[in-house]
Amino acid sequence: MTEALLNVVGVSRSFSAGEDELTVLKEINLQINRGEMVAIIGASGSGKSTLMNILGCLDKPNKGHYFINGQDTSAMDENELAALRREYFGFIFQRYHLLGDLTALGNVEVPALYANEGPHERQKKATQLLTRLGLSDRLEHKPNQLSGGQQQRVSVARALINGGDVILADEPTGALDSTSGEEMMKLLRELHRDGHTIILVTHDPHIAEFADRVIEIKDGEIKDGEIIGDTRNDNVNAYQSSDRAATELVDNPPQTHPQTAKQQTTKYRINWSRYLEALKMALIGMSNNRLRTFLTMLGIIIGIASVVSVVALGAGSQQSIMANIASMGTNTIEIKPGTGRGDRRSGRIRTLMAADADALKTLSFVDSVTPTVRANVAIRYASETVTGSVQGVGTDYFRVRGYSLAQGQFFAEGNALGSVIFLGHLPVRVIGVTEPIESVSSNSDELNVWLPYTTVSGRIFRQNYVSDITVRVDENVESEVAEQGIISLLTMRHGTVDFFTINTDTIRKSIEKTSATMTMLISAIAFISLLVGGIGVMNIMLVSVTERTREIGIRIAVGARQTDIMRQFLIEAVLVCFCGGALGIGLAYFVGVIFSYSGSDFQMVYSGTSIIAAFACSTLIGVLFGYLPARNAARLNPIDALSRD
Ligand code: ADP
Ligand code: MG
């Protein structure tokens, strides 16, 4: 005797109902041969659907074994079971279970898609099947535009597209009127005649009469779930031709291992089409829930926009700070009398001498030193008078400050070199003109006149002390160390600390540090907003998985692998985040345009890197925060999923 096609041996299935165990199937034994048409009949709640789900590898028994073509299903992994559902079984459900977003054609194509069929073949096959089932003029209709009978025929076409060697029909006529129900049963008989093995579940004895063999499951306290009747229905002969069917199927044995040679070679191309299809599904889903999608994106949009803007702002302010720092000139340490800026008694301290400057010059780390004597005086040239700052400086002054000499303009036009100007009543001759220097503290229009400090203190002020001393430190010396050296030398000379120092390097560092701190702070806020956006995406995706439980169940039932489901939801999450990222970058540019009109003294600077990083970041968020919902979707139990409405 040849082995039965489907062989159920001692199978039990129980569900936990609160504290109790509800045993629905009790040690069932059942053999179904190739090409048979079997009806399983029983009252509602007797466990028919449970048995059907086990037969179709949607569910697993708690006890016992189920062999398909001699192979034990309990030894198979999820992928092998998915392959069986996809390529061997075809489900027809009482409530059709079509995907509402897809057309009739799209619905029929789904199992072929998961079976790696190319898009053209898929469409051709689906069209042929639908045409054969009398739906050639309904290809582009959505399920809600079709009658019950038409929807059920679409689901028959879906069951057949990958071959559908074994058709499992769970109350296929349950939701149909009697005429459509009868048509459906004729269709099933036709398929039976063509060689398909048909297993039909019904509570209706009239429907069961269409089958050759009727198995009864009895609903009862003791006999619950056991096969009590297994009768041959010999009066149905109309379409019977099992012999022919059997011979046909010998040439076409069930394929329990999914990877055939043909599929291997075309795997690469086909996989792309699966990604593309998932992308298409994601787009359909997104456009069906536009407002929700947009609100989900909003978190990402704001997050990305703020990150990009902050980076651009940071880069812009950095640029302007760098320019300012450069304008500070060389690294100098200034020494002033008093205890600090704003010390009102500093004017009375007259201990800072030119000799101090000479002493400082002897320090090894000092590049150059200059004392300065300052005064604001009226400067007169010919008939023009302006107030300018006169500074009496040492010979090293220009080196200390990093000024360079230029031949050129003075007052207005004309060559100033050699002209004689009046500082108050003191006539002096211009012997050189500096290049203008851009700076934060002084603007270049300000008139500065430099004289030897001896002249200023001798001829203008008649004093022997200086206003301050400026030291330029060697490039390769730590300015803090130099500062300490200067302080100790002067303290020694003065016997007390009656001066203070201003180190431009310290200022530069503190500016840099402040701007770095600001950038960090704002980045942290931007990052938090991205995080919140990501959590929003995750939240909505989790809701979406719950909402689409039925869809997921259908996809699993027609043979989607866990990876297929996972991929679909991941792609959706990534797509939402990616679009959010793109819109966010757009928003950031918009902010930049507005900012440039705000009259700020610097621009936002966008870098390609930050934009690529923003895209990468939003995509990463999609993957990270889409993972959990996608995994949840992939791990859904198809039975629970299908029983949802
Ligand atoms: P039928 O299809 O014959 O009407 P089912 O196989 O759907 O019956 O269900 C048989 C029994 O098993 C019912 O009492 C039902 O409540 C119970 N049952 C089915 N599925 C589950 C489940 N997932 N969890 C708990 N109980 C279930
Ligand atoms: Mg049922």
Side-chain angles (χ1 to χ4, degrees):
M1 187 194 125
T2 56
E3 180 146 20
L5 180 62
L6 308 179
N7 191 4
V8 176
V9 182
V11 159
S12 297
R13 179 72 171 103
S14 52
F15 298 101
S16 51
E19 306 251 304
D20 309 325
E21 281 248 306
L22 175 69
T23 306
V24 180
L25 301 176
K26 286 181 198 157
E27 310 220 343
I28 283 196
N29 292 301
L30 172 64
Q31 280 82 41
I32 292 169
N33 292 313
R34 198 181 306 261
E36 270 192 296
M37 180 159 180
V38 181
I40 298 171
I41 191 165
S44 171
S46 55
K48 305 183 295 293
S49 296
T50 306
L51 176 59
M52 197 65 132
N53 290 334
I54 288 176
L55 288 177
C57 298
L58 271 175
D59 194 11
K60 286 179 179 169
N62 300 109
K63 220 173 85 187
H65 292 274
Y66 171 37
F67 300 90
I68 298 174
N69 212 29
Q71 296 185 41
D72 192 348
T73 52
S74 60
M76 295 182 186
D77 65 21
E78 280 302 322
N79 274 337
E80 287 173 303
L81 293 174
L84 275 175
R85 290 196 293 270
R86 186 165 62 235
E87 284 159 35
Y88 196 41
F89 293 110
F91 276 100
I92 299 169
F93 300 97
Q94 174 174 357
R95 275 169 297 163
Y96 329 124
H97 283 328
L98 299 177
L99 300 177
D101 287 339
L102 297 181
T103 61
L105 201 58
N107 267 289
V108 176
E109 281 183 37
V110 173
L113 170 74
Y114 291 131
N116 286 343
E117 194 100 56
H120 293 296
E121 276 167 78
R122 227 158 57 206
Q123 195 170 6
K124 205 176 107 192
K125 266 195 197 174
T127 310
Q128 274 172 359
L129 277 168
L130 285 170
T131 308
R132 182 178 144 199
L133 298 179
L135 292 169
S136 56
D137 54 346
R138 296 283 188 279
L139 298 181
E140 296 302 329
H141 284 55
K142 296 263 177 78
N144 58 10
Q145 299 165 321
L146 295 170
S147 75
Q150 287 168 333
Q151 287 186 64
Q152 197 59 300
R153 271 181 283 158
V154 172
S155 87
V156 171
R158 183 178 62 188
L160 291 174
I161 190 156
N162 284 341
D165 288 353
V166 178
I167 303 275
L168 303 167
D170 190 348
E171 310 259 13
T173 58
L176 301 178
D177 59 76
S178 56
T179 325
S180 307
E182 188 132 330
E183 270 173 28
M184 180 51 52
M185 290 318 298
K186 281 185 183 155
L187 177 59
L188 287 179
R189 282 227 55 98
E190 228 174 88
L191 293 175
H192 168 52
R193 192 194 58 205
D194 290 349
H196 296 271
T197 306
I198 313 272
I199 302 168
L200 165 76
V201 154
T202 181
H203 64 274
D204 182 351
H206 298 297
I207 296 295
E209 274 172 20
F210 281 85
D212 308 329
R213 177 182 165 200
V214 178
I215 297 164
E216 196 178 346
I217 288 190
K218 179 80 170 180
D219 169 13
E221 299 269 22
I222 311 148
K223 291 244 170 191
D224 180 34
E226 286 176 353
I227 296 172
I228 57 158
D230 188 349
T231 49
R232 294 269 159 195
N233 218 349
D234 289 327
N235 53 354
V236 183
N237 289 317
Y239 302 93
Q240 209 158 9
S241 58
S242 326
D243 293 344
R244 201 189 96 212
T247 37
E248 256 179 29
L249 263 177
V250 169
D251 304 331
N252 184 20
Q255 186 70 53
T256 47
H257 292 282
Q259 293 296 344
T260 64
K262 179 198 157 222
Q263 280 162 348
Q264 289 278 19
T265 53
T266 52
K267 202 176 166 194
Y268 180 75
R269 176 176 65 87
I270 296 310
N271 264 349
W272 271 114
S273 119
R274 288 229 299 270
Y275 275 101
L276 220 83
E277 217 61 32
L279 197 69
K280 219 158 84 183
M281 277 310 300
L283 285 173
I284 291 173
M286 279 165 72
S287 68
N288 280 354
N289 292 296
R290 253 170 252 152
L291 181 64
R292 196 178 74 184
T293 306
F294 175 72
L295 290 177
T296 312
M297 268 184 205
L298 202 57
I300 301 294
I301 293 174
I302 294 172
I304 291 290
S306 54
V307 168
V308 172
S309 305
V310 164
V311 171
L313 265 178
S317 71
Q318 196 76 18
Q319 231 174 44
S320 90
I321 287 168
M322 280 323 210
N324 283 341
I325 286 173
S327 74
M328 279 182 184
T330 52
N331 178 18
T332 58
I333 296 171
E334 221 169 301
I335 303 145
K336 291 174 183 273
T339 53
R341 277 186 207 268
D343 180 0
R344 270 186 248 134
R345 288 164 307 150
S346 64
R348 277 177 272 145
I349 299 170
R350 299 176 170 183
T351 50
L352 210 55
M353 300 296 176
D356 288 328
D358 294 336
L360 287 171
K361 205 173 279 184
T362 60
L363 291 173
S364 61
F365 52 78
V366 168
D367 179 282
S368 43
V369 181
T370 178
T372 309
V373 182
R374 293 171 203 286
N376 282 327
V377 292
I379 303 171
R380 200 148 49 76
Y381 170 66
S383 60
E384 245 181 293
T385 305
V386 281
T387 303
S389 147
V390 172
Q391 303 185 39
V393 297
T395 45
D396 270 350
Y397 180 83
F398 298 101
R399 169 151 186 83
V400 171
R401 284 290 180 186
Y403 283 106
S404 48
L405 271 183
Q407 299 289 334
Q409 310 290 304
F410 201 50
F411 284 161
E413 283 89 41
N415 192 351
L417 274 186
S419 344
V420 172
I421 57 173
F422 282 87
L423 306 179
H425 298 293
L426 182 70
V428 294
R429 193 209 315 269
V430 177
I431 56 166
V433 178
T434 63
E435 303 263 19
I437 282 191
E438 286 284 337
S439 163
V440 239
S441 47
S442 67
N443 77 59
S444 57
D445 293 340
E446 195 179 43
L447 183 59
N448 285 296
V449 178
W450 293 283
L451 271 69
Y453 70 93
T454 45
T455 312
V456 176
S457 53
R459 306 272 310 265
I460 299 182
F461 289 134
R462 305 189 196 287
Q463 64 178 32
N464 60 351
Y465 60 92
V466 297
S467 311
D468 53 63
I469 296 172
T470 310
V471 179
R472 176 171 176 177
V473 179
D474 269 339
E475 299 262 307
N476 43 13
V477 174
E478 268 301 319
S479 72
E480 277 88 2
V481 179
E483 197 175 356
Q484 281 313 312
I486 290 166
I487 289 171
S488 52
L489 178 76
L490 286 182
T491 312
M492 214 167 69
R493 286 178 60 86
H494 292 189
T496 171
V497 188
D498 53 1
F499 61 91
F500 66 96
T501 52
I502 299 168
N503 187 341
T504 55
D505 198 47
T506 317
I507 298 172
R508 174 192 323 227
K509 275 182 185 155
S510 80
I511 291 175
E512 276 170 0
K513 213 165 117 192
T514 313
S515 85
T517 313
M518 281 303 286
T519 311
M520 278 268 289
L521 206 81
I522 305 174
S523 299
I525 293 169
F527 176 77
I528 288 169
S529 77
L530 264 184
L531 197 73
V532 171
I535 292 170
V537 170
M538 178 154 76
N539 192 16
I540 298 291
M541 289 300 296
L542 282 171
V543 171
S544 161
V545 167
T546 315
E547 214 174 59
R548 289 157 61 186
T549 302
R550 197 181 68 99
E551 175 197 328
I552 296 163
I554 295 169
R555 287 179 182 275
I556 293 174
V558 301
R561 305 158 191 82
Q562 288 193 334
T563 50
D564 290 319
I565 303 291
M566 180 109 183
R567 170 168 37 215
Q568 186 185 332
F569 280 87
L570 261 187
I571 282 181
E572 271 197 48
V574 168
L575 197 66
V576 166
C577 291
F578 190 81
C579 294
L583 290 175
I585 290 168
L587 183 63
Y589 267 98
F590 184 66
V591 168
V593 170
I594 290 187
F595 187 79
S596 70
Y597 287 116
S598 75
S600 163
D601 53 358
F602 65 94
Q603 296 276 309
M604 288 170 80
V605 179
Y606 298 95
S607 69
T609 337
S610 76
I611 290 185
I612 291 168
F615 264 123
C617 189
S618 58
T619 310
L620 192 71
I621 286 173
V623 174
L624 279 183
F625 289 96
Y627 179 79
L628 186 72
R631 202 194 55 171
N632 280 3
R635 289 193 181 171
L636 270 183
N637 180 350
I639 304 301
D640 298 339
L642 279 172
S643 61
R644 302 267 184 99
D645 272 311

